[in-house]
Amino acid sequence: MADPQIEVILAPLRANVKEQGDLVRKLKADGAPDLDIKKAVAELKARKKILEDKELSLVPDAATFDRAKMEDLLKRRFFYDQSFAIYGGITGQFDFGPMGCAFKANLLQTWRQFFVLEEQMLEVDCSILTPETVLKASGHVDRFADLMTKDMKTGECFRLDHLIKAHLEKISADKKTSNETKADCSDIIIKLDGMNKAEMAAVMVKFNMKSPLTGNDLTEPIEFNLMFGTQIGPSGLIKGFLRPETAQGIFVNFKRLLEFNQGKLPFAAAQIGNAFRNEISPRSGLIRVREFTMAEIEHFCDPDDKKHPKFVDVAQTEMLLYSACNQMDGKAAERVKIGDAVEKGLVANETLGYFMARIQMFLIQSGVETTKLRFRQHMANEMAHYAQDCWDAECLTSYGWIECVGCADRSAYDLTQHTKATGVRLAAEKKLPEPKVIDVVEAIPNKGLLGKTFKKDAKIITDALNLLSESAVDDFDKQLQGKGSYDLVVDGKSFNLTKEMIEVKKYQKTIHVDEITPSVIEPSFGVGRIMYAIFEHNFKMRENDEQRTYLSLPSSVAPLKCSVLPLSSNVEFQPFIKKISAALTKVDVSHKVDDSSGSIGRRYARTDEIAIPYGITIDFDTLKEPHSVTLRERDSMNQVRIPLEEIAQVIHELSYNKTKWTIVEGKYPKFDQQENKAT
Amino acid sequence: MADPQIEVILAPLRANVKEQGDLVRKLKADGAPDLDIKKAVAELKARKKILEDKELSLVPDAATFDRAKMEDLLKRRFFYDQSFAIYGGITGQFDFGPMGCAFKANLLQTWRQFFVLEEQMLEVDCSILTPETVLKASGHVDRFADLMTKDMKTGECFRLDHLIKAHLEKISADKKTSNETKADCSDIIIKLDGMNKAEMAAVMVKFNMKSPLTGNDLTEPIEFNLMFGTQIGPSGLIKGFLRPETAQGIFVNFKRLLEFNQGKLPFAAAQIGNAFRNEISPRSGLIRVREFTMAEIEHFCDPDDKKHPKFVDVAQTEMLLYSACNQMDGKAAERVKIGDAVEKGLVANETLGYFMARIQMFLIQSGVETTKLRFRQHMANEMAHYAQDCWDAECLTSYGWIECVGCADRSAYDLTQHTKATGVRLAAEKKLPEPKVIDVVEAIPNKGLLGKTFKKDAKIITDALNLLSESAVDDFDKQLQGKGSYDLVVDGKSFNLTKEMIEVKKYQKTIHVDEITPSVIEPSFGVGRIMYAIFEHNFKMRENDEQRTYLSLPSSVAPLKCSVLPLSSNVEFQPFIKKISAALTKVDVSHKVDDSSGSIGRRYARTDEIAIPYGITIDFDTLKEPHSVTLRERDSMNQVRIPLEEIAQVIHELSYNKTKWTIVEGKYPKFDQQENKAT
């Protein structure tokens, strides 16, 4: 990444980014109009993209990586493939076959050990079908909308921003187009990201846009929610969505979880489960799909104390950090110790830093290549308004750097939103260093009278009163004393409350705890994307034989740990196969017996394809006492000879990281069989 | 179950059932009209229900079981609870909290070890969103419809059969009702199960039925599909459903799976995943819900050879079988060895019998009580028309006997249906004992001409030709030669095919394999129901203390394996807590440190509630060298004293069934602390 020759090529592009980054900073400092900043940011992004594309094109093995070859292997050996293919298939949906499913299950099991068990997190398993009210409060109903347009005749859909961009680029590329129009086009393209429905509709009309496929007319822009809608219950009255993320299930259970944790902060809850997004045009295989598995952690902590007791254990971890600042300056990502990053304030707090380090360890242990992993900080304009800091773990693939894990400090946003929507206070108590005396102003409703007067709205009113701030109650009291009544507005509805209905009490009390709304640090894992990155990082070819491709998955996540291969179909081998298979099952080692007729070399090649790390061969020497077998390791293709009664235990230890191949190689005699010649 | 006193009470009810069972048999033998048989079967069911209700009321502990108390514990300690409760909740949806989720994860992990690993099944993980065409072929679009009616004003929904039954029972109970009307009512109730939409509509009119809640008018019967519908993709053109079972994902992948298994039969595929049914009125807690986890196995085998190589290993297993014959005769279920049951033909074949025995072992190992488990055979009228035999594993709970696992021989139904719908042959090759020469008659389309003539219908035609039987091709040929053309009817559409379009070839060929459509044996596990049964079977009270309730879950599925309890908050205990916790994590033992201030007895009681089987206490003796701790077992409440450095390994072995508590008790000195007094 710091090759001087490459840096020479990149230098002007970096300068280009920095120039624009500085402009953005200046505009912000000067309090320039919003639109000018937006435009400058869009240009900054465009320059960053040019820099990144150039950088990627210069990575040595990116050029030689053969994605089609890898995908052929994954499809042929049914790691995964398109769902419902015999019915024509559905884009953006995939089925995991035996090897993909086992890899996924092992990856999730590793995740559970690494996070839930190690940190004693509270794992939950919540409903997928979610009522609209919940997702309205979380912001998804409003935020998850894309604009699209439909071909009036065929019904074909297009994402409107993509369509406009393509259309304008085509016009710009046309020699006959005037310079003035070209400038107009590039101006619109830059602003596109921030345009609303009416603005985009105007652009469509101005350039008389038609369907690029048929030339047919297009509909007005349509708002399309990326969530799958359905009705819960037969009456059609409860509108629901398939959850677009698993996190909300944790937030709505916050009270129960806090209680389970005996009221104490901090604690983390976790969930593994499926989520759904009705992408307009899914693409890039496992990377952008309609149905996907997530593993999410919500760590709840005191907003004023985001220290982490185990941070010292990870402080020395070196990570490749691509800070927002470096992105603005056109600089490269930097290798930094996470301890230093937190100390310098580059990473917002210890808890965020702790999780970033743990995420890195998990990914590398599961097969992500260290050199192809970076943490990119969200720039201010990318981050949700409530987020305090956000770093994405990105993996380098043939699709570029893809986000695999997000790690954000979401502050108190989610709990606050659900509190507002339900009137149920999602908060925790924090013990004060010493008791303090406070003034209390409280609006106490006369429930009987309220009920009589407002019927079912009475609950809305009491909920609203509950949520009033102290100063609001004060204000309230003044009006009651003055005018004798107060108009309380809830959700746009006004209620006239009289003195008889509400008593405002003022008194002092001694409190021992403060009520706080916890901050949430959220590491959120896209399981399919991680799997895809691991596939790419572990797809290998044997030296001198491009046809012999294999997957070098770490044994802890490999779908099967071991193969059992009799040298031939000789019946004398049968009892040994049975015995070894039973012994492996007993020590929880998943394995595959391949007694098909191919040569041993061919069969090894087949097991290499499905990433089996170890292979046991039963040969004629096995029949002799003391019985023994050969054990072969996938990546080195080295073999050793091991006594029959030790083999299951050795493989168990290799599979569960309790020993290493080099140790096994040192302990047992080397076995020389020329497997390549046997092919 | 064979208490003579109870049998005296049940005898007349048994005779009552047998009388009706014999009538049904006679009617069937005589070829009586369908309606008469239906009516007799309905009466048979009613009598069976009376017998079963009586039987259940006589089970000793059924009377004393306190469901409310158990549900209070499960809710209070957040095993599971209603989803979205702070938003008012949705019936039929539940969230599993930390303890429920861990129990579920352990149960599924046990399932995976017990079935997938042990039998080397091909586990897959398929899409939940399923296009309509797939579920049309599988029969779900048509079969999964219930009739309902809505309150015209409030929109409240009622399941029509439930509504009619309740209404007529109310009329019958009224003293003023004439005997004639009463007879009419009971006649309708008996026939209700087989009534269609028009017949039910007529009953509604005849008895002038209104909403039982409001007295408002009701709508005509409405067909309501129990599947949740949605649209896939933005265009709204692809109708889809949330899958109502996981099995179809396996069937549509049959070809890929067969290929993965190198073309060999038999093999089994398995899947764990969520499925959804939009129940009209969900009830009974976890038993009838809208969103649930299933674990399904599809074992594909030669229809002419359903032997199982490992059947000998289970043949001696005793099982409580409630055969269709005994149900007709009013007899009790019988304890039979599965080997004998298959030999006598009571269970259709070895593979079905093998799975039944394995299901029983799995359930008992996971905490189902042996005496509360039976296998009930479907009676001819309950079974799907394609099923050859079907046995449900039923668990006895306070809701009666509930189906937890279905185990059916579904013959070739599913693969045949998908073959018909797609034209893709889902079949396997079976090696013939010796090659044979066969006559081949084949209709070969002139694809160019067909395409020209029929445009996009050409594919439908070639698919249909592909599926024609030999005799149909023969017939086809005769007409072509005679009339010069043939009208091929596909899906109600007729295509006139001429001699020029189709060439019929007749020749002989030598074949080495037969093409067969495999039979499917399907064990299908309802995970939530199994969990519920296990909760009930393991909910216990301490002798002499009704308030001290606990769950005696087996350690292999218990949410946490161990608690770590310092006797007091003395700081000297801290390093020991840390050390023990780290040691337990290292050997994969999930645990919970409870250093809250309650007495040790109170804290034991709290850990008993969440089913933690083992508790480590750190006391003042722990501080002395050689360091030691006490280990307490939940069910017996016995304690032993164990050296500190051995404790993690001992609990690891206890947790994963590698040793037993009685062995540990024998090995280490007993520790006497009066925990009850300490409360």
Side-chain angles (χ1 to χ4, degrees), chain B residues 79-305:
Chain B
F79 275 82
Y80 63 92
D81 207 340
Q82 197 178 26
S83 300
F84 313 112
I86 62 171
Y87 282 86
I90 300 280
T91 42
Q93 288 192 271
F94 291 92
D95 287 348
F96 291 100
M99 296 300 99
C101 180
F103 170 38
K104 185 177 170 185
N106 293 340
L107 187 68
L108 292 178
Q109 191 56 25
T110 305
W111 189 89
R112 221 172 230 145
Q113 298 277 352
F114 198 89
F115 292 102
V116 179
L117 185 67
E118 181 85 31
E119 315 279 353
Q120 298 190 30
M121 293 175 178
L122 307 182
E123 189 182 345
V124 297
D125 178 12
C126 304
S127 287
I128 288 173
L129 280 168
T130 306
E132 188 178 27
T133 46
V134 175
L135 294 164
K136 187 91 194 162
S138 68
H140 288 93
V141 172
D142 298 327
R143 246 187 315 120
F144 261 51
D146 266 353
L147 288 171
M148 61 163 199
T149 176
K150 271 194 207 185
D151 184 312
M152 297 273 252
K153 286 192 185 148
T154 66
E156 178 107 23
C157 293
F158 305 94
R159 240 183 87 166
L160 190 52
D161 53 350
H162 292 180
L163 182 97
I164 292 177
K165 188 161 175 256
H167 188 93
L168 298 181
E169 283 172 348
K170 202 176 146 198
I171 292 177
S172 295
D174 191 333
K175 281 178 195 161
K176 284 174 279 179
T177 306
S178 71
N179 283 339
E180 198 184 338
T181 308
K182 281 185 184 174
D184 195 15
C185 287
S186 76
D187 189 53
I188 292 171
I189 291 174
I190 284 172
K191 286 185 202 152
L192 202 55
D193 222 21
M195 278 190 180
N196 62 27
K197 190 172 166 182
E199 289 164 340
M200 288 204 199
V203 173
M204 285 179 78
V205 173
K206 184 172 176 182
F207 290 90
N208 189 27
M209 293 184 188
K210 306 282 177 188
S211 161
L213 302 181
T214 62
N216 294 334
D217 284 338
L218 293 166
T219 64
E220 290 269 286
I222 302 166
E223 270 165 23
F224 171 69
N225 197 295
L226 289 181
M227 295 189 294
F228 287 95
T230 191
Q231 261 96 39
I232 305 175
S235 65
L237 298 176
I238 306 174
K239 191 169 176 191
F241 294 102
L242 303 188
R243 64 181 176 195
E245 59 173 33
T246 63
Q248 300 307 322
I250 296 177
F251 298 133
V252 298
N253 278 305
F254 173 76
K255 267 178 82 105
R256 291 166 175 164
L257 292 167
L258 180 67
E259 196 180 323
F260 186 85
N261 206 46
Q262 298 175 283
K264 281 187 282 188
L265 284 186
F267 72 88
Q271 182 168 203
I272 297 171
N274 282 9
F276 300 79
R277 295 184 189 180
N278 200 0
E279 298 288 347
I280 295 179
S281 39
R283 59 184 178 279
S284 316
L286 286 187
I287 294 175
R288 191 168 293 278
V289 294
R290 291 195 166 126
E291 192 173 336
F292 48 93
T293 302
M294 301 181 86
E296 294 194 295
I297 295 165
E298 311 296 329
H299 177 95
F300 298 96
C301 60
D302 182 346
D304 296 326
D305 178 12

Side-chain angles (χ1 to χ4, degrees), chain A residues 82-83 87 93 95-96 98 104 113 120 123 125 127-129 137 229-230 233 253 256 278 291 418 588 591, chain B residues 82-83 87 93 95-96 98 104 120 123 125 127-129 137 229-230 233 253 256 278 291 418 588 591:
Chain A
Q82 198 179 25
S83 300
Y87 281 86
Q93 288 192 272
D95 287 347
F96 290 100
K104 184 177 170 185
Q113 298 277 351
Q120 298 190 33
E123 191 184 345
D125 178 14
S127 287
I128 289 173
L129 280 167
T230 192
N253 278 305
R256 292 165 174 164
N278 200 1
E291 193 175 334
H418 290 298
D588 296 344
H591 59 282
Chain B
Q82 197 178 26
S83 300
Y87 282 86
Q93 288 192 271
D95 287 348
F96 291 100
K104 185 177 170 185
Q120 298 190 30
E123 189 182 345
D125 178 12
S127 287
I128 288 173
L129 280 168
T230 191
N253 278 305
R256 291 166 175 164
N278 200 0
E291 192 173 336
H418 289 298
D588 295 344
H591 59 282

Side-chain angles (χ1 to χ4, degrees), chain A residues 197-226:
Chain A
K197 192 172 165 182
E199 290 165 338
M200 287 204 201
V203 173
M204 283 178 78
V205 173
K206 182 172 179 184
F207 290 89
N208 189 27
M209 293 185 187
K210 306 283 179 188
S211 160
L213 303 181
T214 62
N216 294 333
D217 284 339
L218 294 167
T219 64
E220 290 268 286
I222 302 167
E223 268 165 24
F224 170 68
N225 196 296
L226 289 181

Side-chain angles (χ1 to χ4, degrees), chain A residues 351-624:
Chain A
T351 300
L352 195 62
Y354 178 73
F355 279 116
M356 285 167 63
R358 293 283 296 166
I359 289 166
Q360 169 163 306
M361 288 176 208
F362 167 75
L363 291 176
I364 291 173
Q365 174 185 324
S366 302
V368 166
E369 229 176 84
T370 314
T371 56
K372 294 181 176 175
L373 172 63
R374 74 177 184 194
F375 284 76
R376 191 180 72 78
Q377 189 174 31
H378 281 206
M379 297 200 297
N381 54 295
E382 286 176 280
M383 212 151 44
H385 63 276
Y386 50 83
Q388 299 207 331
D389 194 8
C390 183
W391 291 80
D392 287 343
E394 295 185 329
C395 292
L396 184 59
T397 70
S398 60
Y399 292 106
W401 287 98
I402 56 168
E403 177 199 341
C404 289
V405 188
C407 193
D409 182 336
R410 299 171 62 90
S411 71
Y413 177 74
D414 306 277
L415 295 180
T416 307
Q417 287 295 101
H418 290 298
T419 297
K420 272 190 212 159
T422 61
V424 177
R425 232 182 248 278
L426 302 181
E429 288 184 342
K430 180 181 173 179
K431 207 175 166 193
L432 290 168
E434 50 194 71
K436 69 176 176 190
V437 177
I438 56 161
D439 294 316
V440 183
V441 188
E442 212 177 343
I444 297 165
N446 176 338
K447 284 195 181 172
L449 185 57
L450 272 185
K452 231 164 123 183
T453 317
F454 298 106
K455 303 281 182 298
K456 66 176 171 30
D457 286 336
K459 189 180 176 306
I460 302 173
I461 296 169
T462 43
D463 284 352
L465 288 175
N466 255 328
L467 293 175
L468 285 183
S469 70
E470 228 168 86
S471 64
V473 177
D474 243 350
D475 185 44
F476 189 105
D477 191 33
K478 274 176 207 147
Q479 289 208 35
L480 274 190
Q481 301 312 326
K483 287 179 25 190
S485 76
Y486 178 86
D487 289 318
L488 180 74
V489 179
V490 188
D491 289 340
K493 218 169 158 181
S494 176
F495 301 98
N496 187 262
L497 304 179
T498 64
K499 263 204 257 187
E500 291 70 35
M501 294 173 187
I502 311 287
E503 183 191 358
V504 175
K505 275 195 182 165
K506 291 183 183 185
Y507 55 97
Q508 285 198 322
K509 78 173 177 189
T510 306
I511 56 167
H512 302 266
V513 292
D514 248 353
E515 188 174 76
I516 54 169
T517 302
S519 268
V520 173
I521 313 276
E522 177 190 83
S524 168
F525 297 69
V527 176
R529 289 181 167 203
I530 294 172
M531 288 173 71
Y532 183 81
I534 294 176
F535 282 137
E536 275 210 9
H537 294 184
N538 290 276
F539 178 68
K540 308 271 170 71
M541 290 175 198
R542 293 287 175 210
E543 254 178 87
N544 310 321
D545 189 352
E546 283 196 0
Q547 294 317 307
R548 277 189 71 176
T549 54
Y550 68 103
L551 288 165
S552 61
L553 299 181
S555 59
S556 58
V557 295
L560 296 169
K561 309 306 177 198
C562 171
S563 59
V564 181
L565 313 172
L567 195 64
S568 72
S569 59
N570 192 310
V571 286
E572 286 186 79
F573 293 152
Q574 294 299 324
F576 290 95
I577 300 175
K578 265 196 143 169
K579 200 171 165 183
I580 292 170
S581 181
L584 290 170
T585 300
K586 207 174 161 201
V587 293
D588 296 344
V589 172
S590 57
H591 59 282
K592 184 186 168 79
V593 175
D594 184 353
D595 52 6
S596 62
S597 56
S599 73
I600 198 76
R602 246 221 338 259
R603 281 182 283 156
Y604 278 143
R606 283 183 58 82
T607 62
D608 290 345
E609 280 189 336
I610 53 175
I612 298 182
Y614 304 104
I616 299 170
T617 302
I618 300 162
D619 56 21
F620 289 100
D621 284 342
T622 305
L623 305 180
K624 297 176 201 155

